[in-house]
Amino acid sequence: MMRVARGARRVLGALAIAAAVIALLALSSRVVMPKNNQTEFGQINAAANGVMGEPADTIDVLFLGDSEAFSSFSPLQLWGEQGITSYVCATSAQRLYYTTSLLARALENQGPRVVVLETNCIFSPMSVGDAAMRALSDLFPVFEYHNRWKSLTVDDFVGPVRATWADDLKGFRLDHATQVKPADATTYMQETDDVQRLSRFNWLYLQEIKRMCDAAGARLVLVSTPSTVNWNMARHRGMAQAASELMVDYYDLNVGDTKVEIDWSSETYDAGDHLNLSGAQKVTSAVGKILRGSYDIADHRQDAAYDGWNDAYARYRQRLSQLGAATS
Amino acid sequence: MKSYFSLMVLGLFVPAAVALYQLAPRRARPLVLLAASYAFFWSISGKLLAFLLFSTLSVWATGLVLEELQRRRAAEMRDPDVDRRVVKRRFARYMRAAVAACVVANLGVLAALKYLAFFEAVAAPLLAPLGIEVPQGGLRLGVPIGISFYTLSAVSYVVDVYRKTSPADHNPVRLALFLAFFPQIMEGPIARYNETACSLWSGRPVTAENLFGGTARALWGLAKKLIVADRVNVFVKTVFDGSASVDGGVVALAAVLYTIQLYCDFSGTMDFAVGVGRIFGTRLPENFRQPFASRTASEFWQRWHVTLGAWFRDYVFYPVSLSKPIKRLTNGSRHLLGNRMGPLAASGVALACVWFGNGLWHGAGGQYLLFGAYYFVLIWLGGLMAPLAERLCPRLGIDHDGAAWHAWQRGRTLVVIFIGELIFRASSAPEALGLLGTLASGFSLASFADGTVFSMGMDAADFGVVACAVAVLAAVGRLRERGAHPVRRAWELPVPVRAAAMVALAFVIVIFGAYGGSYVPVDPMYAQF
Amino acid sequence: MDAILDILEDLKSGEDYRGRTDLVDARVLDSLTILALTSELEDTFDISIPAVEIVAANFNSLEAIWAMVQRLRDEDF
């Protein structure tokens, strides 16, 4: 009888400790969460998280991926050419575990028709520890934002968590828009029999992304943006195989019918790793045509509810002309 | 990433190992530990496990050979017709040869894997004028994790068998666990066979007390590492690895902060090792004993990295000092310099061996040899000057046993420590000397006045956190020095209080830990040695 | 055994060596002192102290040192 009592007390004690830990983590997460999704409020990766500030159910296409995505897809150009509303939720060296986090966040308020995943991040190796840390941070944001203890204000303790801000370029980046550093394209997309396979861990996450899209009624589409440094035939083959297994459409802009002709001497700013603005404009046009042609996405240019986009587009064109770039 | 303080190790590996250990029958428990240890080793160094196995088997075999030789000697000595001195000398020769072969083989493997590239680089310019070309690049095999630590443990076992301090172990698996135990493999503590081998093998069950106490100890170490060491690391890296030139004041601050970082990182990892060891029912030796309370450089090395100092004392210092040629030197200098100075002067040779070894052990680099030379000079001179100081103090009116004098000694030892660690952190001997030069000639407090110190990786808030942590550690250290046992007393508090304290500590680590965001995870620093 | 006490007091005065069993553990005798002590013992008692004998057990008390000295004297006749 005594043993049972002692055992029961131990279990209760353990539960009490667990409850205390969870309560502390939840409370502290509430406190350190940025009170708005802007960099000034401490938001990490504000541009990508700006999708939460877009009015509900207004984004028709979501772009996910790493730096290839935010330097190649321009949502406002897509608006100007096709009237498609989109947002780029991309971050440097994004790993698939963060892609799922961003996708989940975006899907809270948005119901996109198409989710475009740039394929470079699908091959990026992930450690289980980092993936676990990401999952933990999604559960208890204190693990991601604990460093904000240095800049806490009264509002952090009492104010609500809001997301009212969106990036003016809708997640696109113009940091290196007009820089040029030519690439050596001699071995670009050379024929080979090699097939680069996805690791099992990455494949699991890719399947999860597909599942999330299906549940939200969105079509998952894989796109490989042109890059001499990051892409090759082996990867093309591996991705094509993965796409057919996953039963999703795959457009490789590096090769074949969907190839986008890039002038590697003038349209990349870091010798073939990323495209500059000229390259991005070509890619965005091509993607826009694909989206318009193959997927049922509305053209909202005449819709008064989307006037904000026209304003943003005007600002965009002004910015481009300030850069001295072509705005056609 | 090789670190004990990763989510996978703390959250998955250790709990799984503890669970499997506890669930296994008693006889199987040490095997669980060995399997876990080898799995851990494999996950970091892969096939280099072969070298750990080589060390294990070589010392096991040599131990058996020595035991057999000792048995035969005893048998021959019983024969009344035989000249015992001749028999003794013959067997002494055999046994010395066996030990020497084993030690040379093990140290040779260590030298080849870890130091060959360095020796080649040093030898090349020396032999070039003779027309001899020295190949570069070492063996290109990589260095097995913990080789510097387990090799010393292995050598200590074999020498202990030779000295009959421990019996030879017939059980290679027990020896294997002694050498490979995973909390010790990366950074020690360097245990002796008599200290841990049987305890690890006993398969004691995990008790609630040990689980609680061990976890608390490991948590304390995690706090030191994440809150202090990894935070300070950003500043230290900026100064030592950055390209910007800094003034003497910043160099001084960097030396102090690096010492704090090294202490928190290394002792934090030791806390983890001892804590996990405790969970498994084994008490691992301590590696730190309030090192910053030292009054002399010599004392510092009895309080910092204690097991390494003890190893060099028992396996280098005494054997060298008591070897025939050095004994002759000692006797000679006793005639010349008297009974006090004579042995001290002669022990200089043994000390030089120790410090050359200590420096070299830390790494293949000139700055480590400089570090060794630095402490050799300080400790040897300190030993020679001690009797002089004892005689001078009363004449100068200084109370040798008084608090003021002790405070002065502690203060100057701190400066000695900081300068030593500055040399240690440099990436080469010339860089170390350059930094020392900047410290001496370019000392200025300008960077403090205009606030640049707050923009080198740590802002004012960070300094505040470090200062608070150091204050807490200093307070605990002072209590320990006075003989109090603050932790043991705290452990007598009721369970809910203890649990609450641990939860609070874990929470403090979550908030103030230097991880995520712009912080780069730092591998335990001593694992590179 | 008084001879040993004399040697110790000559090497390091001001300590009470009688009746203590922790001379090494309490760091009253550090490694340099032990070395000097060894040298003196070898001279005074005409013995040879090998490195294997330098263990805490042999030096922790006056009795232990004396026992070691006697043992080494008998072994070498």
Side-chain angles (χ1 to χ4, degrees), chain B residues 76-114:
Chain B
E76 279 193 33
M77 302 263 274
R78 261 176 258 140
D79 186 344
D81 295 326
V82 86
D83 183 347
R84 298 170 74 180
R85 237 181 283 197
V86 168
V87 169
K88 252 192 170 179
R89 244 181 306 188
R90 183 158 54 95
F91 275 92
R93 262 208 316 271
Y94 296 154
M95 289 198 272
R96 263 201 300 266
V99 173
C102 183
V103 169
V104 164
N106 278 283
L107 290 182
V109 166
L110 175 64
L113 291 175
K114 198 174 146 184

Side-chain angles (χ1 to χ4, degrees), chain B residues 75-309:
Chain B
E76 279 193 33
M77 302 263 274
R78 261 176 258 140
D79 186 344
D81 295 326
V82 86
D83 183 347
R84 298 170 74 180
R85 237 181 283 197
V86 168
V87 169
K88 252 192 170 179
R89 244 181 306 188
R90 183 158 54 95
F91 275 92
R93 262 208 316 271
Y94 296 154
M95 289 198 272
R96 263 201 300 266
V99 173
C102 183
V103 169
V104 164
N106 278 283
L107 290 182
V109 166
L110 175 64
L113 291 175
K114 198 174 146 184
Y115 297 100
L116 191 58
F118 174 61
F119 292 149
E120 285 169 348
V122 168
L126 293 175
L127 294 176
L130 295 172
I132 304 174
E133 206 190 295
V134 180
Q136 297 291 302
L139 288 176
R140 271 178 257 264
L141 271 178
V143 184
I145 191 77
I147 187 171
S148 308
F149 295 93
Y150 74 70
T151 304
L152 293 193
S153 276
V155 166
S156 84
Y157 165 71
V158 138
V159 176
D160 280 352
V161 173
Y162 171 73
R163 291 177 179 176
K164 301 220 210 117
T165 310
S166 4
D169 197 341
H170 288 231
N171 186 344
V173 189
R174 180 165 48 199
L175 253 188
L177 179 56
F178 162 67
L179 289 178
F181 188 44
F182 75 87
Q184 282 178 277
I185 193 72
M186 281 182 88
E187 296 194 345
I190 302 166
R192 308 287 170 85
Y193 180 84
N194 287 339
E195 284 175 328
T196 61
C198 293
S199 177
L200 285 170
W201 192 249
S202 63
R204 267 177 226 134
V206 177
T207 66
E209 272 304 296
N210 279 346
L211 185 61
F212 222 158
T215 308
R217 182 83 194 255
L219 202 61
W220 180 246
L222 182 64
K224 281 193 216 168
K225 171 104 170 61
L226 277 187
I227 298 177
V228 184
D230 290 359
R231 173 172 263 107
V232 170
N233 181 56
V234 192
F235 184 94
V236 168
K237 272 186 81 107
T238 310
V239 173
F240 284 95
D241 301 335
S243 44
S245 65
V246 289
D247 65 30
V250 173
V251 172
L253 181 61
V256 174
L257 288 179
Y258 175 66
T259 308
I260 294 175
Q261 177 192 4
L262 194 59
Y263 175 70
C264 287
D265 190 295
F266 195 15
S267 70
T269 309
M270 292 299 99
D271 288 332
F272 170 84
V274 174
V276 173
R278 177 158 176 197
I279 295 178
F280 290 115
T282 294
R283 169 176 248 167
L284 295 179
E286 294 288 342
N287 241 351
F288 289 93
R289 196 168 53 88
Q290 294 79 257
F292 301 111
S294 306
R295 288 191 272 130
T296 65
S298 175
E299 189 183 351
F300 177 64
W301 284 94
Q302 294 167 357
R303 290 167 174 267
W304 174 284
H305 208 166
V306 173
T307 57
L308 184 72

Side-chain angles (χ1 to χ4, degrees), chain A residues 10 17 20-21 24-25 28 32 44 128-129 132-133 136 142-144 146-147 149-150, chain B residues 7-8 208 231 459 461-462 465 499 503 507 510-519:
Chain A
R10 287 229 177 110
I17 294 176
V21 167
L24 269 176
L25 288 177
S28 56
V32 298
I44 294 176
V128 179
M133 192 61 188
L136 201 56
V142 69
F143 287 99
E144 189 174 7
H146 66 97
N147 280 315
W149 65 266
K150 291 185 202 173
Chain B
L7 216 52
M8 292 308 293
R231 173 172 263 107
D459 59 21
D462 289 316
V465 168
V503 169
F507 184 63
V510 168
I511 298 289
F512 292 103
Y515 63 93
S518 53
Y519 289 111

Side-chain angles (χ1 to χ4, degrees), chain B residues 30 201 213 228 293 349 442 450 458 485:
Chain B
W201 192 249
V228 184
V349 176
D450 64 19
M458 281 173 66
H485 295 281

Side-chain angles (χ1 to χ4, degrees), chain B residues 84-85 88 162-163 165 289 302 313-314 317-319 321-322 327 330-331 334 339-340 343-344 347 351 383 390, chain C residues 10-13 27 30-32 34-36 38-40 42-43 47-52 54-55 75-77:
Chain B
R84 298 170 74 180
R85 237 181 283 197
K88 252 192 170 179
Y162 171 73
R163 291 177 179 176
T165 310
R289 196 168 53 88
Q302 294 167 357
R313 182 197 64 213
D314 291 336
F317 184 71
Y318 285 137
S321 312
L322 297 171
K327 269 199 195 168
T330 309
N331 281 329
R334 276 176 65 206
N339 279 343
R340 190 66 188 281
L344 272 174
S347 69
L351 262 181
E390 255 173 68
Chain C
D10 186 39
L11 281 179
K12 192 168 178 188
S13 58
R27 281 162 270 268
D30 67 6
S31 38
L32 289 175
I34 288 183
L35 223 42
T38 316
S39 188
E40 284 285 344
E42 287 184 334
D43 251 11
I47 52 174
S48 175
I49 304 181
V52 301
I54 312 292
V55 288
E75 266 184 24
D76 280 344
F77 38 80

